[in-house]
């Protein structure tokens, strides 16, 4: 396990911000929204660790603090309120780099770009999972991947 953590730390040092964003979305966010769990191995491989002063086990960041990750789970299937979300604040690289980093992997994973969405707020969907990228002026680029049971039932 120590070798895995060391490899993840070394890989994180050499990654571009876009590559780190892609690794987090593909390795942590997509599995989390699909199952409600993110494996410790995937979290380590994405270079994530608990965020100091964070709000529990779902509050993570990269060692350099350039990527903040929030995993949230709420509701339940029986009541039709189940919702899982993974939000990545890419504080380095900007909007264009975050969008380009996730577009190809999402489409390769079977996501479809939603037509007529603004270029500065692209949306991809697959079943009950939605992925978006946006950036408010003066803020970090945000990639949000979420699953909502009602969206899945409508598919």
């Amino acid at each position: 396990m120590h070798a895995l953590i060391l490899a993840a730390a070394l890989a994180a040092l050499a990654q571009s911000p876009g590559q780190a964003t892609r690794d987090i979305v593909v390795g942590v966010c997509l599995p989390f929204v699909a199952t409600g769990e993110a494996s410790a191995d995937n979290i380590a491989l994405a270079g994530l660790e608990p965020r100091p002063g964070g709000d529990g086990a779902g509050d993570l960041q990269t060692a350099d603090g350039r990527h903040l990750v929030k995993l949230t789970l709420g509701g339940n299937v029986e009541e039709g309120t189940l919702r899982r979300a993974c939000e990545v604040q890419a504080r380095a690289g900007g909007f264009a780099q975050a969008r380009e980093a996730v577009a190809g992997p999402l489409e390769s994973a079977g996501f479809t770009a939603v037509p007529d969405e603004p270029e500065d707020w692209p949306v991809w969907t697959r079943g009950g999972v939605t992925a978006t990228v946006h950036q408010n002026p003066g803020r970090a680029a945000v990639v949000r991947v979420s699953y909502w049971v009602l969206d899945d039932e409508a598919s």
Side-chain angles (χ1 to χ4, degrees):
M1 182 66 146
H2 294 296
L4 180 64
I5 293 170
L6 179 59
L10 291 174
L13 291 176
Q15 286 184 331
S16 71
Q19 185 177 5
T21 302
R22 180 177 39 256
D23 291 348
I24 293 166
V25 169
V26 171
V28 178
C29 291
L30 291 178
F32 178 77
V33 300
T35 66
E37 297 180 15
S39 79
D41 288 345
N42 285 359
I43 288 171
L45 286 172
L48 297 172
E49 56 190 38
R51 188 167 152 213
D55 197 24
D59 215 347
L60 307 164
Q61 70 176 36
T62 54
D64 61 10
R66 291 181 167 193
H67 289 80
L68 304 179
V69 179
K70 181 80 169 174
L71 305 174
T72 56
L73 176 63
N76 64 60
V77 174
E78 294 79 27
E79 294 179 12
T81 59
L82 179 64
R83 187 170 202 129
R84 297 183 287 253
C86 175
E87 185 174 283
V88 180
Q89 287 186 34
R91 301 166 102 190
F95 171 79
Q97 193 170 53
R99 180 188 61 216
E100 296 307 313
V102 301
L106 287 172
E107 290 168 7
S108 293
F111 283 79
T112 303
V114 176
D116 301 325
E117 291 294 329
E119 190 172 308
D120 63 348
W121 200 307
V123 177
W124 297 266
T125 62
R126 182 186 74 191
V129 178
T130 301
T132 64
V133 180
H134 71 278
Q135 182 173 17
N136 292 329
R139 303 282 183 149
V142 175
V143 180
R144 181 171 170 75
V145 182
S146 63
Y147 168 85
W148 190 21
V149 72
L150 292 178
D151 288 343
D152 196 22
E153 292 171 354
S155 298

